[in-house]
Amino acid sequence: QVQVVESGGGAVQAGGSLKLSCKVSGVNFDLYCWAWFRQAPGKEREGISSIRWGAGRAYYSDSVKGRFTVSRNDMKDELYLQMNSLKPEDTATYYCAGIGEPISGCSGSWRESDFVWWGLGTQVTVSS
């Protein structure tokens, strides 16, 4: 059984930083594309970043490009999201998700139906 557990969320002032982590178990983490999604209150969930297996090419939405950095540690089966220069509009629940096909997918378009493994999310609140 695949388990996906996010951590690292919290409350921060605008301009601050947070680093989210995602621990994955029950699957060969290193073979898959992993992504971060977020859902703000009253809005649809959106993909914001993803990273490929192996050399780990990364993709970012325009809303976070230049401020957020995704990374992975295949030895620890963990995914990370370093978030800098946070804005109030970054307030959301952040989810880690994995594509269901190994060595497949991963792009700058995040179709939710492609992602089969999801965590329960971690809350990030940015105050002005």
Side-chain angles (χ1 to χ4, degrees):
Q1 183 179 357
V2 179
Q3 290 190 321
V4 179
V5 181
E6 303 94 339
S7 62
V12 65
Q13 289 191 327
S17 299
L18 281 175
K19 185 175 183 177
L20 306 183
S21 298
C22 172
K23 177 67 177 177
V24 178
S25 60
V27 69
N28 290 332
F29 176 85
D30 57 325
L31 296 180
Y32 295 88
C33 170
W34 293 90
W36 288 99
F37 287 74
R38 69 183 182 186
Q39 186 168 23
K43 295 188 177 181
E44 292 187 355
R45 189 158 56 185
E46 61 170 343
I48 58 171
S49 184
S50 52
I51 186 167
R52 282 189 172 191
W53 56 92
R57 179 177 175 178
Y59 302 86
Y60 300 94
S61 68
D62 288 343
S63 61
V64 306
K65 194 176 297 181
R67 300 187 298 122
F68 292 9
T69 303
V70 64
S71 61
R72 60 192 293 162
N73 185 326
D74 290 346
M75 296 297 293
K76 294 184 176 181
D77 293 350
E78 292 184 349
L79 180 73
Y80 309 103
L81 187 68
Q82 177 67 48
M83 305 186 296
N84 298 328
S85 302
L86 283 161
K87 305 175 181 179
E89 50 263 45
D90 294 318
T91 295
T93 300
Y94 285 71
Y95 299 90
C96 173
I99 278 186
E101 292 293 323
I103 315 179
S104 175
C106 232
S107 69
S109 61
W110 297 273
R111 190 167 55 188
E112 283 198 36
S113 59
D114 290 338
F115 292 84
V116 298
W117 302 306
W118 292 84
L120 296 179
T122 185
Q123 178 66 37
V124 172
T125 303
V126 184
S127 59
S128 57

